[in-house]
Amino acid sequence: VLVRIASSSALGGDSIMALQLVGKLRQLGFMLSPKQVFDFPKLRDMAGSLEEAKLVVAEQGKRQGSVALLPIQQRYIEHFELNRCNQYIQFKWDYPADLARLTNAFRGLIEHHDALRLRFSADTAIGMTANYQDDVEFTIHSFDGEINIDQVQTSIDLINGVIGAVGIRSMDALDETTEHSEVLIAIHHL
């Protein structure tokens, strides 16, 4: 790639293209910052700035103990009800409603993302605090009719360790030729 193009302006000269170039170089084992792409518009000069990427292995152990809230987390809690600090996605799924599979997927997600194991508590002296827990929960709601988004979202209880909720309904009655379902997943984003 570096040999065929004479200048980074041939790449369009914009920041998105610079980030794509930096990302591709990292995949190939080289380090170059976006700033260097613009500092050295000629690729010959840019190539002189390339360094071999050094692999840094991040600690992957399970987090324990308490953690300070970030300012954005504090603002969310101040402006919204704590349990409403969540995001959700609703979609149709071309598979039958399988609660066991959904439960396993949710447990895997919680195991992988430490922030999903945070339990929040109100401390009058310092405000809200958060602690990593081993025993967080999520709820699953089965619906015959339309999924009640409010019911799913209000079942999240971050103080008592309920970090997410799922609403699911089988849509087999609507189309008997295929097995599919509708799923709503709500999970805290603090």
Side-chain angles (χ1 to χ4, degrees):
V1 174
L2 292 176
V3 177
R4 290 190 215 154
I5 302 171
S7 136
S8 65
S9 62
L11 296 173
D14 65 32
S15 59
I16 293 173
M17 294 300 280
L19 291 173
Q20 289 175 339
L21 176 64
V22 167
K24 190 58 152 172
L25 287 169
R26 285 189 182 158
Q27 288 175 349
L28 296 171
F30 297 101
M31 291 295 296
L32 186 71
S33 73
K35 182 181 181 318
Q36 289 172 309
V37 172
F38 292 108
D39 287 348
F40 303 104
K42 292 190 177 183
L43 294 180
R44 181 176 313 151
D45 298 332
M46 194 185 306
S49 299
L50 284 176
E51 295 179 18
E52 189 174 334
K54 295 175 181 81
L55 179 63
V56 177
V57 179
E59 190 275 315
Q60 295 295 312
K62 222 175 185 184
R63 297 274 183 205
Q64 299 293 322
S66 64
V67 61
L69 296 182
L70 298 170
I72 189 71
Q73 291 171 310
Q74 293 169 357
R75 273 186 245 129
Y76 263 98
I77 292 168
E78 289 168 7
H79 288 87
F80 303 102
E81 180 183 335
L82 174 64
N83 295 329
R84 291 295 184 132
C85 294
N86 66 64
Q87 54 191 351
Y88 73 90
I89 183 170
Q90 187 169 6
F91 56 93
K92 289 185 176 36
W93 203 5
D94 290 332
Y95 303 98
D98 186 339
L99 296 181
R101 210 176 238 177
L102 198 55
T103 299
N104 286 337
F106 225 86
R107 284 193 179 125
L109 186 67
I110 291 167
E111 184 70 27
H112 185 73
H113 294 284
D114 288 322
L116 295 179
R117 294 186 302 103
L118 287 174
R119 182 174 290 177
F120 295 82
S121 59
D123 183 328
T124 55
I126 59 173
M128 191 67 63
T129 59
N131 291 288
Y132 292 107
Q133 303 293 311
D134 288 328
D135 60 336
V136 295
E137 301 172 17
F138 60 94
T139 60
I140 295 180
H141 305 272
S142 227
F143 295 92
D144 292 327
E146 188 173 326
I147 294 176
N148 183 330
I149 295 172
D150 194 54
Q151 180 182 346
V152 173
Q153 285 190 314
T154 56
S155 65
I156 295 173
D157 183 351
L158 298 179
I159 289 178
N160 291 310
V162 181
I163 57 91
V166 177
I168 190 165
R169 79 169 171 147
S170 173
M171 298 179 70
D172 296 342
L174 301 175
D175 182 1
E176 296 171 0
T177 61
T178 61
E179 293 186 59
H180 55 277
S181 50
E182 184 177 25
V183 179
L184 180 134
I185 299 172
I187 195 160
H188 91 78
H189 65 83
L190 290 173

